[in-house]
Amino acid sequence: MRISPKMATLLTLSVIMLIAPFFFPSAYYFRIASLVYVNALAVVGVVILTGYAGQISLGHAGFAGIGGYACALAPVYLGLHPAASVVFGALASGVMAWIVGRPILRLKGYYLAVASLGFGILVSMVLTNEIAVTGGPDGMKVADLGLRSWLSERGLSLTNGQFWYTITALLLLAGAWLALNLENSATGRALRALHGSETAAGTVGIDVASAKLTAFIISAVYASVSGSLIALMNRMITPDIAGYMHSIEMVTMAVLGGSASVAGGVFGAAILTLLPQALTSFDQYEQVTLGLIMMLVMIFLRQGLLPGLASLLKGRGA
Amino acid sequence: MSNPFKTLALAGVATLALSASALAEIKLGATISETGPASFLGDPEAKTLKLLVEKINAAGGIKGEKIKLFLYDDGGDPNKARTFATRLVEEDGVVAIIGGTTTGTTMAVMPVAGENKIPFISLAGAIEIIDPVQPFVFKTPHTDKMACEKIFEDIKKRGLSKVGMLSGTDGFGASMRKQCLAVAPAWGMTIVADETYGPKDTDMTPQLTTIRGKEGVQAIVTPGFGQGPAIVTRNYNQLSMTIPLYQSHGVASNSFIQLAGAKESEGVRIPGTALLVADLLAADDPQKKVVTEYKALFEGATKTPVSTFGGYAHDAFAIFVDAAKRSKSFKAVDLRDAIEGTSKLVGTTGTVTMSAKDHIGLDLSSFRMLEIRNGGWTLVK
């Protein structure tokens, strides 16, 4: 039986997710793995926007902020269940992306990068300054999801780490599945066409502006859900989540891993989440080492780590 | 079918049990913002902890057992702080955590400490950390509320009561502003102006002009840290203002005088700790010995002047060591009880006496009202 690349990615991912816990020596590894999955989810969104459609956003942390704060604020002010707040946050992010993206995406070139940068900073400023609502820079507490105690009442008792590992793994799988389906759909083909050439895509009847907008909205929803997950997992949130550095982190993860494919994005997220943890023992050399690794990858493996390594291996085989 | 997680948990427990039996040292954890925007707080804190651990181990440890310090740099990011706290508890198996340089990182570590029943001594300012009291969370710095009260006490002594506030919108400034507004009436203070500035603003002349224009304003209080308060001080001079100017404990360090300028900061009053004025303390001052010793140790090893923030770490470590000496065992739960039982422990920040209701254990007397004269500190009598 031939396995399609889509199935191969999903299968590899689920096998890793299933097997990895058996090698975890402590609950700390569940936390790290959950972070990898949460970051990977946001990066899959970036892959859709950057890898498929060829657009760059430097303000995606803004959407993570909206998603995260939706989980903090909606239960308090709207009486929503935290789980419903995730959906609420995703909707809010989607609408926001539509409002912001509609005018910007009609423009060509770097306008989206610059405008999204501004958007991200705006969100982070609002979260920092509206102290009465958001608690300001010190952040605020987030309600418990309640699902873990619900499960344990029904006989499935998981530790906090195991619970979030499961949740984040399932959501990343779902996210990856949707993104992979999109890749080969009509929309996905349209996105990849405009990545190649907007003019050419326009001449074959693709509505360039609306295709870009679709990609922007979808990727915003991914970032939002990942922000919600961080908030629920940490049970607290601060405006750092919407910070400029977080946006850059997402793009870096995608580019480092290989932004053209979902697998590459996930790989990049895993590397950039795990490396700092592994490098902490280097103390002040941590940042230097991290920077050096990233530079070397960009110089020698320009398509990103995963595609680069794959083509290297293929080259050897031939 | 057996639950894979359960098998794993069992394996984990077995490993833990093994390592527990082989335990020959006290494992102390710390997550500190050595780098990032709060590094001016975190850097002296981390250095202090390393120095003190070295010192106590060289002297034979606690009850013959050496302390092993696990120190991580969270860069001021709460998400990282939470991860490191998990790592300290789950992976390194520490019996207590010191850290949380900022209020944000502290808030992120608190649930981990609570869930795993590990005592946690925070180095951050906000009152929310210990109010309401959580069984496993303690802190060493004064609260913003106490700084406000100390300032208001001094303003009252001068026979003044109408205060103009100029606060930073950063976490520290925002939190202290809230506390000051809340306690002002109790000290008979009237807030006649309530202005703010952003952490990156470079000119506060408009706000100061507004405050000066308010009728009857008698003193200015400026909660905030970083460069903002120094700029306020410079602008205050440029406007030739003369009403008393109070800065917060957030800038109680020599670098503030350097930033603001010796001439410009002349006469500025700041509630600070005994550490800043170690040389000026009377010989019979209860804190004299502790602050002089710490100052000598820190300045000798790092060749940089001591700061209040390193002092917070010094006190957290002193509380931990004192508790470990009194504790029934070196288990986390016993240590927690011992920390709560801290009594009359002299630190750099003040004399600490904790109780089930008070997880900071300091009173107003631990603050000294300092005045800058000729580019140095003097004690206000």
Side-chain angles (χ1 to χ4, degrees):
Chain A
M1 196 184 80
R2 236 183 76 87
I3 299 174
S4 69
K6 178 181 119 184
M7 284 313 287
T9 305
L10 286 177
L11 270 177
T12 318
L13 206 55
S14 15
V15 168
I16 292 174
M17 283 168 173
L18 270 178
I19 292 179
F22 291 99
F23 297 96
F24 289 171
S26 79
Y28 157 65
Y29 290 83
F30 281 98
R31 158 93 189 165
I32 291 294
S34 312
L35 280 178
V36 169
Y37 297 157
V38 167
N39 287 335
L41 188 63
V43 173
V44 169
V46 175
V47 165
I48 294 176
L49 183 71
T50 309
Y52 293 0
Q55 308 297 312
I56 289 179
S57 163
L58 297 178
H60 256 51
F63 297 113
I66 293 176
Y69 273 86
C71 285
L73 295 170
V76 180
Y77 291 94
L78 304 175
L80 280 182
H81 187 272
S85 310
V86 179
V87 180
F88 175 74
L91 282 176
S93 293
V95 171
M96 205 52 145
W98 183 76
I99 296 172
V100 176
R102 230 177 105 80
I104 302 167
L105 288 162
R106 293 181 176 275
L107 305 165
K108 281 181 189 163
Y110 300 114
Y111 291 99
L112 179 65
V114 176
S116 60
L117 178 69
F119 166 76
I121 292 173
L122 269 180
V123 171
S124 141
M125 276 176 71
V126 168
L127 295 177
T128 310
N129 293 334
E130 289 305 312
I131 296 165
V133 183
T134 64
D138 288 344
M140 60 186 298
K141 293 198 173 85
V142 176
D144 187 22
L145 187 58
L147 185 60
R148 200 177 126 215
S149 46
W150 187 85
L151 283 174
S152 97
E153 277 164 26
R154 275 149 193 82
L156 181 66
S157 77
L158 298 173
T159 68
N160 199 25
Q162 294 164 351
F163 172 74
W164 283 109
Y165 181 86
T166 317
I167 295 279
T168 51
L170 288 176
L171 278 168
L172 174 60
L173 265 187
W177 177 66
L178 287 173
L180 288 165
N181 276 346
L182 184 76
E183 189 177 4
N184 294 312
S185 70
T187 318
R189 281 192 298 274
L191 291 178
R192 279 181 290 152
L194 72 90
H195 187 182
S197 158
E198 287 190 18
T199 322
T203 51
V204 295
I206 293 166
D207 182 347
V208 173
S210 105
K212 280 200 236 170
L213 190 59
T214 313
F216 190 57
I217 293 174
I218 294 174
S219 68
V221 169
Y222 272 88
S224 171
V225 173
S226 107
S228 298
L229 285 174
I230 290 180
L232 289 169
M233 212 159 86
N234 289 351
R235 294 290 310 280
M236 67 90 64
I237 189 158
T238 64
D240 293 81
I241 193 172
Y244 171 65
M245 280 315 288
H246 191 202
S247 293
I248 299 295
E249 232 173 65
M250 289 185 200
V251 178
T252 316
M253 284 172 177
V255 173
L256 186 84
S259 63
S261 72
V262 169
V266 173
F267 191 62
I271 293 285
L272 278 189
T273 313
L274 297 177
L275 259 188
Q277 289 293 327
L279 293 177
T280 47
S281 45
F282 285 85
D283 222 359
Q284 58 261 55
Y285 300 110
E286 178 194 339
Q287 306 292 337
V288 180
T289 322
L290 199 60
L292 189 68
I293 292 175
M294 284 163 61
M295 272 164 56
L296 290 177
V297 168
M298 286 296 101
I299 292 171
F300 294 108
L301 303 168
R302 284 196 199 163
Q303 304 140 285
L305 262 180
L306 200 61
L309 289 176
S311 68
L312 269 184
L313 286 176
K314 264 183 207 158
R316 289 276 157 77
Chain B
M1 202 187 109
S2 80
N3 181 346
F5 287 139
K6 211 174 258 173
T7 328
L8 188 83
L10 277 177
V13 168
T15 336
L16 268 182
L18 275 176
S19 56
S21 62
L23 195 82
E25 52 196 0
I26 309 166
K27 292 180 177 173
L28 175 65
T31 166
I32 306 269
S33 312
E34 274 183 89
T35 57
S39 60
F40 71 102
L41 305 167
D43 184 58
E45 289 170 359
K47 283 179 181 153
T48 301
L49 283 180
K50 284 180 201 159
L51 282 172
L52 290 174
V53 169
E54 232 169 69
K55 187 182 162 196
I56 200 160
N57 283 344
I62 304 172
K63 293 184 192 165
E65 297 206 5
K66 298 252 162 93
I67 296 178
K68 184 165 166 56
L69 178 69
F70 293 85
L71 178 73
Y72 297 121
D73 171 19
D74 57 43
D77 177 352
N79 197 29
K80 273 194 194 160
R82 163 107 191 196
T83 306
F84 283 130
T86 313
R87 183 169 181 172
L88 287 169
V89 173
E90 302 285 350
E91 182 74 0
D92 304 328
V94 301
V95 291
I97 300 175
I98 290 176
T101 301
T102 66
T103 303
T105 52
T106 296
M107 292 293 190
V109 176
M110 277 162 68
V112 179
E115 277 162 28
N116 295 288
K117 303 207 183 319
I118 302 285
F120 168 46
I121 309 174
S122 163
L123 310 177
I127 194 165
E128 283 84 4
I129 298 167
I130 42 105
D131 183 25
V133 169
Q134 293 190 16
F136 284 87
V137 183
F138 304 85
K139 78 183 211 94
T140 53
H142 301 100
T143 62
D144 316 330
K145 186 179 157 204
M146 294 164 76
C148 296
E149 290 184 314
K150 189 72 189 180
I151 291 173
F152 290 154
E153 184 189 68
D154 194 63
I155 294 179
K156 203 174 174 181
K157 265 193 214 158
R158 286 175 155 186
L160 310 173
S161 69
K162 289 193 172 145
V163 175
M165 302 262 303
L166 176 51
S167 324
T169 52
D170 54 288
F172 180 88
S175 163
M176 184 165 163
R177 172 182 164 270
K178 206 169 85 186
Q179 298 300 329
C180 283
L181 293 178
V183 297
W187 289 88
M189 296 291 137
T190 322
I191 307 293
V192 292
D194 181 16
E195 298 288 321
T196 59
Y197 63 83
K200 285 179 188 133
D201 288 2
T202 51
D203 183 51
M204 283 64 145
T205 317
Q207 290 96 323
L208 283 169
T209 317
T210 312
I211 293 175
R212 184 165 65 174
K214 295 280 178 196
E215 210 180 308
V217 61
Q218 293 168 321
I220 302 178
V221 178
T222 53
F225 74 4
Q227 57 173 357
I231 297 172
V232 169
T233 309
R234 281 179 174 269
N235 291 158
Y236 167 92
N237 266 277
Q238 285 153 5
L239 293 170
S240 304
M241 295 175 76
T242 49
I243 55 173
L245 176 64
Y246 287 87
Q247 296 288 358
S248 72
H249 56 311
V251 293
S253 71
N254 289 323
S255 57
F256 169 73
I257 304 181
Q258 283 164 15
L259 265 179
K263 194 164 78 56
E264 284 81 359
S265 51
E266 179 79 12
V268 171
R269 289 194 176 183
I270 300 184
T273 62
L275 190 55
L276 274 182
V277 285
D279 309 333
L280 303 179
L281 294 178
D284 61 344
D285 194 292
Q287 282 180 270
K288 178 89 178 177
K289 183 167 171 283
V290 173
V291 295
T292 321
E293 271 179 20
Y294 168 58
K295 196 173 159 110
L297 174 74
F298 188 88
E299 294 183 348
T302 64
K303 311 282 178 238
T304 49
V306 277
S307 74
T308 317
F309 321 117
Y312 294 151
H314 170 277
D315 292 1
F317 187 72
I319 290 170
F320 171 76
V321 170
D322 173 68
K325 281 181 186 156
R326 284 182 287 108
S327 176
K328 277 185 289 186
S329 75
F330 293 141
K331 289 203 185 85
V333 184
D334 290 332
L335 282 171
R336 188 217 82 90
D337 294 344
I339 292 173
E340 196 167 76
T342 303
S343 175
K344 298 197 179 110
L345 177 76
V346 181
T348 62
T349 315
T351 306
V352 183
T353 302
M354 302 224 190
S355 71
K357 279 183 190 151
D358 182 3
H359 275 194
I360 174 166
L362 295 167
D363 58 24
L364 275 194
S365 68
S366 55
F367 259 132
R368 315 285 167 125
M369 187 48 79
L370 311 176
E371 189 171 294
I372 300 171
R373 286 276 165 221
N374 301 320
W377 304 95
T378 56
L379 277 165
V380 175
K381 293 279 162 1

